[in-house]
C-alpha cells in the first residue's frame, strides 16, 4: 500500500490502516519520516486544508488517581452516544520498546472492545521533544480519520502536561481526594493549565474527603486570574466517581459547554491557529537544537563543559562560546 | 582604564568602576561583549573561581503592589545592619532607551542616597533572552564587587519571573490584599516559584483584607507538594506593611532561615551549580537560535510560513523542513 492508498484507507475509517499509519508516523527512520510527512500533507490536502475537527481533550493526573477507570467509563459514555473516540497515551518516562499494547488494552478492557473506540498505547521514546512531535502527528491522523473526540492522556510529570495542553482544545486534570496538605502531590503550575479539575473517588470512604477537596480547589481556582479564553465559572472543579460512573455525564456537559463557548467566542480557532504556529516554531527550534545531540563528540563536549561550569571552573558565556564555534566550524 | 584595571577597581568596591563595568556588560556591541567576557573571566580568576557569595533574592509583584516601597524600607534595614545591597531591576516590557536612572532613583529616594546601597535601573531591551544574559552578568559583577545582598526585582509578567527565579537563591513574591477572587491577578504558575509570599499593605483599611489574603495563600501553599529544597513550613505566606516598615524584619529573618537551611542541607550549592549549568546550556541554545533572527530574510520567511501554518495552508513539519534546509544551505 503506497502513501496515497494509505491516506485513502485512513480517511475511510479503516482501523488497520490507521494503526499502520500511526506506526509509520511514530517511526524514527528517515525514510519513514518522509512518508509520514507525505501522508499528513496528503490528508490535509484531501480535506481542503481543514477537515472535520475533533474535540481534543488533554487529560492528566498522577499515577493511581484513576485515569484508566475514568477513560474506560467516560469513553463508553461517548461511544454509547455514537461518538468515535481515540485514546492516545503519552508517557515520556516510559522506556518500553514499541509500546505495551497489552498493558493499555487491559487497563481499558470494555472500551478496547468498542467498535467506535481506538486505543493507542504510548510510543516508546526517551526525548520529550520526540514524543511531542509524534503525538501531534497522531492527533492529526486521528482527526483526519474522522474521530469525534481525541483523548490525550498523560501522567503528571510537569513538562508532558504542558506539551499535552499545547495540543488540546481543553485540558482536564484528574485529582485524588486529599487527606489534606502535601499528600495531594499537585505539581505547581499544573492548575495554571487546567480548564476542568475532576476530583475522583467520590465514593465509599473517600466521599467526604472528595467533597472537601473539590471545595478547596474551587476556592483556589477563584483566587487565580480569569483567563480570556474562559467563560464565567471556568476553570471549574467538580467531584466524580469514575468507578461508579458518577458525575461523568456532568463532566462531559461541562466540557461541551466550554468547547461551545470557545467556538462561539473565537477562542477555539484562535487556539488552534496559535497551536499550529507554535508547533511550526517548535519544529524549527528542535531542528536547530538537534545539532547538539546529533554527534557523540558534541554531546561529550557539552557534558564536559557543563560540568566545568557547574563546578565553577569556567564561566557560562565562555564555555558556550567554545561550543558554538565548534558547531559553526566543525 | 583597561579590563584588568577595571576588574581591580570593581573588586576594591569603587562604585563608579562598577557602574562602568555594568555599562560594558549591558552593551550589545561585539567588541564590548568580548571585553565584558574578559572582565567576568578575570573577576572569576581573581576570586579563585569562587569568590564571596552574595545572597541573591528574586523579587516579583504586579505593578502597584508596593515593590518600590518594599525595596526602599527593606534595603534601608539591611544597610542599617551594615550589609551592602545591590538592587537590579528587570523590566522586559520596558522600551526605554538607556534605562531611566532618574525613575529608579526617585522611586527609592532614601536607599539611593545610602552609601552601602547600589541601585541599577533596568537595561533597555526588547528580547527577554538578552535581558537574562545581561542580568546574570550584572549579578555576577555585583557579587564580585562584594555586595552582601543582590535584590533582583521584576514586574509580574510570567517569563521574566521564571528567569529571575533561575538566577536567585530565593524567590519572594509580593502580593496585594485581595478584595477577593479574580481581582488578585495572580499569574498562575508563579506560586510554583515562590519561596516566600509577602502580602503587603497590611495597614489602615486593608489590614483585615491582608490578614485574610495571607491566610488564603498559606492555605493554598499547603495544598501544594513540598519541594526537596524546602524546610518544614516553606514556602511561607506572611503579611507585611512596607509603608509602615512592619513585618520586614520577620521577612528578613525568614529569608535568612531559609538560606541557612539550604546552605546546611546542600541545596544552596546544588542550586547554584544547576543554575550555572542551565545558564551555560541556555547560552548555547540562544547562540544557535540566534540564526533565526540574525537575517532579515530568515525573519521574514519564518513569519510568512508561520502565517501559512496558522491559517491551515501548510503543515507545521513541512514548513519547518523548508526553513531548516534554508539555514543549513544559505
Amino acid at each position: 500500500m503506497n502513501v496515497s492508498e494509505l491516506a485513502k484507507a485512513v480517511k475511510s475509517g479503516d482501523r488497520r490502516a490507521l494503526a499502520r499509519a500511526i506506526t509509520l508516523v511514530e517511526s524514527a527512520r528517515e525514510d519513514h519520516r518522509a512518508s509520514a510527512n507525505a501522508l499528513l500533507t496528503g490528508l490535509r490536502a484531501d480535506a481542503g486544508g481543514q477537515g472535520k475537527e475533533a474535540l481534543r481533550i488533554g487529560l492528566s493526573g498522577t499515577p493511581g488517581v484513576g485515569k484508566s477507570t475514568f477513560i474506560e467509563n467516560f469513553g463508553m459514555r461517548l461511544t454509547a452516544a455514537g461518538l468515535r473516540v481515540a485514546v492516545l497515551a503519552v508517557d515520556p518516562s516510559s522506556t518500553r520498546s514499541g509500546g505495551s499494547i497489552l498493558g493499555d488494552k487491559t487497563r481499558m478492557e470494555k472500551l478496547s472492545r468498542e467498535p467506535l473506540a481506538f486505543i493507542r498505547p504510548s510510543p516508546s521514546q526517551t526525548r520529550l521533544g520526540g514524543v511531542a512531535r509524534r503525538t501531534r502527528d497522531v492527533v492529526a491522523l486521528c482527526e483526519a480519520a474522522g474521530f469525534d473526540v481525541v483523548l490525550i492522556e498523560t501522567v503528571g510529570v510537569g513538562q508532558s502536561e504542558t506539551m499535552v495542553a499545547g495540543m488540546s482544545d481543553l485540558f482536564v486534570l484528574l485529582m485524588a481526594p486529599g487527606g489534606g496538605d502535601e499528600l495531594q502531590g499537585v505539581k505547581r503550575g499544573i492548575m495554571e493549565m487546567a480548564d476542568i479539575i475532576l476530583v475522583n473517588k467520590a465514593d465509599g470512604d473517600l466521599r467526604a474527603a472528595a467533597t472537601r477537596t473539590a471545595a478547596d480547589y474551587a476556592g483556589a481556582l477563584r483566587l487565580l486570574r480569569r483567563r480570556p479564553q474562559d467563560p464565567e465559572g471556568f476553570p471549574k472543579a467538580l467531584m466524580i466517581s469514575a468507578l461508579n460512573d458518577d458525575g461523568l455525564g456532568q463532566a462531559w456537559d461541562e466540557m461541551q459547554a466550554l468547547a461551545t463557548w470557545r467556538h462561539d467566542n473565537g477562542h477555539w480557532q484562535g487556539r488552534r491557529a496559535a497551536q499550529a504556529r507554535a508547533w511550526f516554531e517548535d519544529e524549527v527550534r528542535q531542528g536547530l537544537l538537534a545539532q547538539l545531540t546529533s554527534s557523540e563528540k558534541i554531546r561529550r563536549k557539552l557534558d564536559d563543559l557543563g560540568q566545568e561550569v557547574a563546578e565553577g571552573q569556567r564561566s557560562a558565556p565562555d564555555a558556550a562560546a567554545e561550543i558554538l564555534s565548534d558547531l559553526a566550524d566543525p
Side-chain angles (χ1 to χ4, degrees), chain A:
Chain A
M1 209 186 278
N2 65 23
V3 166
S4 84
E5 285 165 350
L6 186 57
K8 211 162 171 187
V10 165
K11 296 290 281 190
S12 77
D14 179 338
R15 293 157 62 93
R16 286 179 59 188
L18 178 62
R20 275 186 62 181
I22 293 180
T23 303
L24 186 66
V25 156
E26 285 178 354
S27 166
R29 269 175 51 186
E30 264 312 307
D31 56 329
H32 286 178
R33 290 298 311 159
S35 302
N37 280 346
L39 175 67
L40 287 169
T41 302
L43 286 170
R44 294 180 65 78
D46 286 354
Q50 296 284 344
K52 185 195 127 191
E53 283 185 330
L55 174 61
R56 305 174 180 172
I57 303 172
L59 176 73
S60 181
T62 46
V65 74
K67 284 191 297 299
S68 305
T69 312
F70 173 79
I71 296 173
E72 170 95 321
N73 283 331
F74 184 72
M76 291 301 288
R77 182 173 281 269
L78 300 186
T79 55
L83 297 169
R84 294 183 62 203
V85 182
V87 178
L88 312 175
V90 171
D91 179 5
S93 65
S94 164
T95 51
R96 301 177 290 188
S97 62
S100 105
I101 296 181
L102 200 68
D104 280 329
K105 296 221 165 151
T106 18
R107 69 192 180 92
M108 292 168 240
E109 215 179 18
K110 280 182 296 173
L111 191 63
S112 66
R113 287 196 305 261
E114 259 303 308
L116 290 177
F118 180 86
I119 298 176
R120 182 73 185 185
S122 12
S124 67
Q125 183 67 33
T126 46
R127 279 197 324 115
L128 192 62
V131 175
R133 178 177 297 178
R134 290 165 198 203
T135 306
R136 279 188 183 115
D137 288 350
V138 176
V139 170
L141 271 177
C142 292
E143 201 151 12
F147 283 92
D148 301 294
V149 175
V150 180
L151 251 173
I152 312 155
E153 174 209 3
T154 187
V155 286
V157 290
Q159 272 303 91
S160 74
E161 275 148 330
T162 308
M163 186 195 97
V164 168
M167 57 181 76
S168 305
D169 299 313
L170 52 91
F171 191 72
V172 176
L173 184 61
L174 214 56
M175 303 285 312
D181 295 13
E182 307 168 22
L183 291 173
Q184 192 60 5
V186 190
K187 290 281 269 194
R188 297 145 195 253
I190 298 303
M191 283 210 329
E192 169 183 10
M193 295 178 295
D195 294 308
I196 296 173
I197 291 181
L198 299 176
V199 179
N200 193 20
K201 306 196 182 179
D203 43 51
D205 285 354
L206 288 174
R207 199 182 163 80
T211 310
R212 213 165 43 235
T213 305
D216 284 351
Y217 280 102
L221 289 173
R222 273 194 298 274
L223 279 175
L224 298 172
R225 179 157 63 182
R226 172 130 155 241
R227 305 170 301 184
Q229 71 270 32
D230 291 332
E232 184 73 40
F234 280 89
K236 192 165 274 192
L238 303 174
M239 129 188 138
I240 61 165
S241 164
L243 192 67
N244 296 346
D245 195 10
D246 212 7
L248 301 194
Q250 198 203 337
W252 175 233
D253 289 345
E254 297 288 358
M255 291 180 214
Q256 285 179 292
L258 180 59
T260 302
W261 188 88
R262 286 188 179 162
H263 255 300
D264 295 348
N265 290 273
H267 294 291
W268 177 285
Q269 273 314 321
R271 183 170 170 142
R272 286 264 174 138
Q275 285 178 350
R277 196 169 185 138
W279 178 10
F280 160 64
E281 289 170 358
D282 191 45
E283 290 271 323
V284 173
R285 280 191 298 266
Q286 295 298 330
L288 278 177
L289 298 177
Q291 294 173 52
L292 298 176
T293 45
S294 59
S295 106
E296 173 62 26
K297 189 169 147 247
I298 290 289
R299 279 201 301 275
R300 191 165 322 130
K301 184 145 192 183
L302 260 181
D303 204 49
D304 291 346
L305 285 172
Q307 194 58 35
E308 285 176 37
V309 168
E311 286 168 3
Q313 292 162 33
R314 246 175 118 159
S315 84
D318 190 43
E322 186 175 326
I323 281 276
L324 289 168
S325 107
D326 277 18
L327 284 169
D329 193 14

